[in-house]
Amino acid sequence: MENTIADFIDFIEQSPSSYHAAEVVASRLQDAGFARVDETAQWPSTPGGYVMVRGGAVMAWVVPENFTGEFKIVGSHTDSPGFMVKPNPDFRNAGWSQLAVEVYGGPILHTWFDRELKLAGQAVLKDGSRRLVDTGALVRIPNLAIHLHREKNFDPDRQVHVQPIIGLDADDVSFAEILAEKLEVDAEEISAFNLITVDSQRGEVFGAGHKFLAAGRMDNLSSVWASMQALISTAEDYSGEDVLVLSAFDHEEVGSASRYGAAGPILEDVLTRTAAALGKNEEERRQIYARSSCISVDAAHSVHPNYAVKHDPTHHPLIGQG
């Protein structure tokens, strides 16, 4: 159990953004014998395990020796709430150098203040190549001193009060230069970036009996990791008749309607091309869809001990019990 928990914490640490999570899942599956699929190449049809990455999403599937069943699909998501760095991030204010950010998803705003944050995601260079980014602790959203804020409620303005500091105005260093240094390229080579704030604190086991695990991005890397582990374990000696599918989508926190999201085409692309590669015509494919199943695996909230009245009085999701 200790090894399992340590591995899960490592997985979270290695996955600061959806792009990282997709690549980590793909790498681990490849180590387990899965073949990496290129969407621009011929789709595979031989029995075995396959994995494909599109942006911050990862799809993996196992083709049986004799496919006469259905698609058994497990869905999760790789993204988590935070603050996205805007395309023109640099601005100066009262002697500070700051980054312009936009709220992504539904973060609990006050929990992000006074933490050392890193930026993670991807950068695209002018040659079209993609580079993963993990800056390490780099920025901080500073709280207001208590003697300047006597109001009872803390209600920060999403456009004004959550802009992180990154340096001093006197340093006169642009974010492009800082990012270029992290990537070991010239600033002029960076064409675009997609970066989100990440708590730099590593996950930790705590509590009586060491039964609790605290870490950022548990929603929903906990489900991504569990789905990946289940697929690896099942694929080792799989003799069933169904195609097993892991689908870890991006952009769930903002509606999923993207090329990488659950409301987009990525899962349909994988299922359609897999069925066609296995010789199924459209009618047969629709029959397969009709008998297939998909389980949405996401994080849920147990009853909060200090706010039990916020929950349904007769239906309590209890910690560790469902």
Side-chain angles (χ1 to χ4, degrees), residues 24-45:
V24 170
V25 170
S27 176
R28 290 193 175 201
L29 289 175
Q30 286 179 272
D31 289 342
F34 284 61
R36 183 84 173 241
V37 172
D38 180 354
E39 287 193 77
T40 65
Q42 183 71 31
W43 207 254
S45 60

Side-chain angles (χ1 to χ4, degrees), residues 81-83 107-115 117 140-141 196-199:
F83 302 90
I108 303 174
L109 296 182
H110 66 264
T111 64
W112 288 84
F113 282 68
D114 291 341
R115 289 176 177 266
L117 306 175
R140 184 182 178 98
I141 303 174
I196 192 169
T197 56
V198 182
D199 185 357

Side-chain angles (χ1 to χ4, degrees), residues 18-19 39 53-59 76 78 122 130 194 248-252 256-267:
S18 58
Y19 300 105
E39 287 193 77
V53 172
R54 182 189 290 179
V58 57
M59 302 283 126
S76 59
T78 57
Q122 72 169 357
R130 182 181 71 140
N194 191 343
F249 303 100
D250 199 353
H251 300 140
E252 189 274 347
S256 298
S258 72
R259 189 167 176 262
Y260 317 145
I266 184 170
L267 179 58

Side-chain angles (χ1 to χ4, degrees), residues 25-275:
V25 170
S27 176
R28 290 193 175 201
L29 289 175
Q30 286 179 272
D31 289 342
F34 284 61
R36 183 84 173 241
V37 172
D38 180 354
E39 287 193 77
T40 65
Q42 183 71 31
W43 207 254
S45 60
T46 55
Y50 301 93
V51 60
M52 180 197 85
V53 172
R54 182 189 290 179
V58 57
M59 302 283 126
W61 61 100
V62 176
V63 176
E65 289 285 346
N66 183 29
F67 177 40
T68 58
E70 62 185 79
F71 290 112
K72 288 188 180 297
I73 308 162
V74 171
S76 59
H77 66 92
T78 57
D79 62 322
S80 301
F83 302 90
M84 301 294 296
V85 181
K86 292 182 178 179
N88 298 310
D90 295 301
F91 73 98
R92 308 293 199 265
N93 189 14
W96 301 94
S97 176
Q98 294 181 263
L99 288 184
V101 297
E102 179 71 24
V103 175
Y104 176 87
I108 303 174
L109 296 182
H110 66 264
T111 64
W112 288 84
F113 282 68
D114 291 341
R115 289 176 177 266
E116 289 66 53
L117 306 175
K118 57 185 180 180
L119 302 175
Q122 72 169 357
V124 179
L125 304 186
K126 288 187 175 178
D127 63 4
S129 62
R130 182 181 71 140
R131 300 283 291 275
L132 293 178
V133 178
D134 182 348
T135 66
L138 183 65
V139 302
R140 184 182 178 98
I141 303 174
N143 226 323
L144 184 63
I146 186 62
H147 60 278
L148 297 177
H149 182 82
R150 293 296 185 180
E151 291 82 358
K152 291 182 178 180
N153 295 325
F154 179 66
D155 188 21
D157 186 295
R158 295 160 69 95
Q159 292 294 333
V160 178
H161 299 144
V162 297
Q163 310 305 312
I165 58 172
I166 191 171
L168 298 175
D169 190 0
D171 295 335
D172 195 27
V173 179
S174 70
F175 178 65
E177 293 173 309
I178 295 172
L179 182 58
E181 181 180 357
K182 299 291 183 180
L183 294 174
E184 298 181 345
V185 299
D186 293 331
E188 293 75 19
E189 293 184 54
I190 301 173
S191 179
F193 53 79
N194 191 343
L195 303 174
I196 192 169
T197 56
V198 182
D199 185 357
S200 63
Q201 183 175 350
R202 182 179 172 85
E204 188 67 64
V205 175
F206 71 102
H210 302 287
K211 292 184 177 180
F212 301 130
L213 169 60
R217 307 180 303 286
M218 294 276 278
D219 180 9
N220 185 237
L221 292 182
S222 56
S223 300
V224 175
W225 178 83
S227 301
M228 175 190 67
Q229 294 293 91
L231 188 63
I232 291 174
S233 176
T234 304
E236 289 179 355
D237 190 25
Y238 183 59
S239 59
E241 58 186 20
D242 303 312
V243 173
L244 310 179
V245 183
L246 176 154
S247 50
F249 303 100
D250 199 353
H251 300 140
E252 189 274 347
E253 299 291 347
V254 290
S256 298
S258 72
R259 189 167 176 262
Y260 317 145
I266 184 170
L267 179 58
E268 183 180 5
D269 288 347
V270 170
L271 301 185
T272 300
R273 295 184 71 175
T274 299

